[in-house]
């Protein structure tokens, strides 16, 4: 996924989360409002139900009183009082349930209703006494009128209280309707707001991605240019190093044989001499010269003489130890540096090389022999003195008949 696509994806995820959040918030407030309205309506309906029960009790009370006054049956005082008390207890029970649901104004109306109820109860007591001791129609009519008047007033107040609850219920329903419309308006605004934010985020994401793309292209171009420059520089440096390495190799190598040249051998001798002074590790040299090489050049030509030098160089490389060095010292002379060696080991190495060359078969000449002069570094001796002793030993080998090796004896004149 590239950078632009990733930005757009992040933008749409943010928009989706915002819309979900707005929907949850709207639903939450709508639920709270709906729950509040439902609780209010339930509360009002419960009050209306209790008021209706009280109205029913009051009517039953009035009807019961009227029926007793108009009845011709003789009843005991206890029976009449028991019936009145049962109705009064029912009124008290519903009245207690209604009381904790009313507000202060409604409680004042209920107190007025209670006064009328007490008066009706007093009238009922009189009815009970009248029915017990007398059956006078005039007295019954008077009491009945009073009961009916008090009952009518009480029912009027109950009706007023009930109407108040109905009005409260209507107001709650109107509030619920208004809240629903307001919630719908808010939700619509939330949707419009989300759409606008969506477009704004999308435009911002596209603009930012284009800007980043332009910057990245510029950075890539700059890096590619710098990389190309660095690559060219590295190639030039590598070529220069290779040229320097080749020049160094050519400077230290004999062009004909490929062996180290005299300059390189002098550096090797200096290094070995320095190690000898520090660690007392003795080294020696073997000076090698081809016998009658001038006759080979005169008889076969210089080209064939060069071939002999090349073949001898390969043979010398195979004959010396892996820790030793060999160089073309000049013309038909070679010099071998034997590192870390004892005096008794120098001559066997030289004789081994002499015998190997003597037994070798050459392509251009019948046979080739060499003479060797050996010298081991001695205390207080310099490199040039060591080379001079090896050269003297070489001439001694030639003087004694060639094709042999001679070790120089050191004489300290100090």
């Amino acid at each position: 996924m590239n950078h632009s696509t990733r930005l757009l994806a992040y933008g749409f995820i943010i928009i989706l989360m915002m819309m979900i959040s707005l929907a949850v918030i709207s639903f939450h407030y709508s639920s709270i409002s709906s729950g509040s309205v439902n609780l209010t309506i339930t509360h009002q309906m419960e009050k209306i139900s209790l008021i209706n029960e009280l109205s029913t009790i009051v009517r039953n009370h009035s009807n019961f009183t009227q029926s007793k006054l108009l009845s011709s049956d003789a009843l005991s005082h206890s029976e009449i009082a028991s019936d009145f008390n049962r109705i009064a207890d029912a009124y008290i029970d519903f009245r207690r349930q209604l009381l904790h649901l009313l507000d202060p104004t409604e409680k004042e109306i209920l107190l007025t209703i209670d006064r009328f109820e007490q008066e009706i109860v007093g009238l009922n007591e009189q009815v009970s006494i009248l029915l017990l001791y007398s059956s006078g129609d005039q007295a019954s009519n008077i009491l009945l009128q009073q009961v009916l008047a008090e009952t009518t007033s009480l029912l009027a107040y109950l009706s007023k209280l009930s109407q108040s609850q109905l009005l409260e219920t209507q107001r709650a329903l109107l509030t619920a309707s208004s809240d629903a419309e307001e919630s719908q308006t808010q939700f619509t605004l939330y949707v419009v707001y989300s759409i606008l934010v969506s477009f704004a985020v999308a435009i911002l994401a596209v603009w930012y991605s284009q800007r980043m793309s332009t910057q990245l292209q510029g950075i890539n171009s700059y890096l590619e240019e710098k990389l190309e420059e660095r690559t060219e520089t590295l190639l030039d440096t590598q070529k220069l190093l290779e040229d320097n390495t080749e020049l160094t190799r050519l400077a230290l190598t004999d062009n004909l044989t490929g062996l180290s040249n005299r300059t390189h051998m002098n550096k090797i001798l200096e290094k070995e001499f320095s190690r000898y002074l520090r660690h007392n590790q003795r080294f020696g040299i073997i000076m090698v010269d081809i016998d009658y090489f001038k006759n080979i050049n005169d008889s076969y030509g210089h080209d064939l003489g060069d071939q002999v030098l090349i073949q001898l160089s390969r043979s010398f490389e195979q004959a010396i130890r892996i820790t030793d060095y060999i160089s073309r010292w000049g013309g038909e002379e070679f010099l071998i540096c034997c590192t870390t060696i004892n005096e008794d080991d120098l001559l066997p190495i030289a004789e081994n090389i002499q015998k190997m060359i003597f037994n070798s078969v050459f392509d251009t000449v019948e046979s080739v022999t060499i003479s060797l002069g050996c010298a081991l570094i001695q205390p207080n001796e310099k490199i040039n003195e060591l080379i001079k002793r090896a050269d003297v030993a070489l001439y001694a080998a030639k003087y004694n008949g060639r094709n042999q090796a001679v070790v120089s004896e050191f004489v300290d004149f100090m």
Side-chain angles (χ1 to χ4, degrees), residues 1-16 197-216:
M1 182 183 294
N2 57 34
H3 189 70
S4 301
T5 306
R6 187 163 58 251
L7 285 175
L8 288 175
Y10 288 159
F12 282 117
I13 290 174
I14 293 173
I15 294 166
L16 181 61
V197 171
S198 302
F199 279 113
V201 171
I203 293 172
L204 181 62
V206 171
W207 172 81
Y208 184 73
S209 64
Q210 290 178 350
R211 180 181 177 184
M212 290 298 296
S213 178
T214 303
Q215 291 180 352
L216 288 175

Side-chain angles (χ1 to χ4, degrees), residues 26-38:
S26 177
F27 177 77
H28 175 70
Y29 283 113
S30 177
S31 298
I32 292 175
S33 177
S34 176
S36 177
V37 171
N38 290 335

